[in-house]
């Protein structure tokens, strides 16, 4: 209820090759380097994609960008986005 969790499978990528960006209500995940196994090798067939990949996700609610966290383990990227109350009630004093 209080957060959005995004889970992305990105096998064979180095953590340093991943870039995550939050722009308003749009989350972008980009992988910029080839897999570690691709360096100077020729392949007959390959199951894992290589090269640059990019994916953007439109979020259904605004999130607290100061408290976003992420982890990358065993080829799985997990991003935790705490929801932010857009409309907070504020009492306005009358002068």
């Amino acid at each position: 209820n209080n957060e959005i969790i995004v889970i992305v499978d990105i096998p064979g990528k180095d953590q340093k090759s991943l870039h995550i960006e939050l722009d308003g209500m749009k989350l972008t995940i980009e992988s910029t380097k080839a897999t570690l196994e691709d360096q100077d090798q020729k392949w007959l067939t390959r199951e894992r994609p290589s090269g640059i990949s990019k994916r953007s996700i439109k979020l259904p609610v605004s999130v607290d960008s100061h408290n976003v966290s992420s982890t990358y383990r065993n080829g799985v990227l997990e991003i935790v986005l705490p929801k932010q109350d857009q409309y907070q009630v504020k009492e306005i004093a009358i002068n």
Side-chain angles (χ1 to χ4, degrees), residues 2-65:
N2 298 328
E3 60 192 17
I4 298 170
I5 299 175
V6 177
I7 299 174
V8 183
D9 291 331
I10 309 176
K13 299 289 183 172
D14 183 65
Q15 181 175 338
K16 295 176 185 175
S17 72
L18 301 176
H19 177 75
I20 305 168
E21 181 178 279
L22 180 62
D23 181 10
M25 292 177 64
K26 182 175 81 170
L27 178 71
T28 302
I29 303 164
E30 183 175 3
S31 173
T32 56
K33 290 184 182 177
T35 61
L36 299 175
E37 303 151 352
D38 283 348
Q39 299 169 357
D40 301 325
Q41 302 222 359
K42 294 184 180 190
W43 297 91
L44 177 60
T45 185
R46 179 175 34 198
E47 295 293 324
R48 293 182 177 169
S50 64
I52 297 173
S53 60
K54 187 175 187 177
R55 176 76 184 242
S56 292
I57 304 165
K58 184 178 178 188
L59 302 173
V61 296
S62 61
V63 297
D64 180 3
S65 62

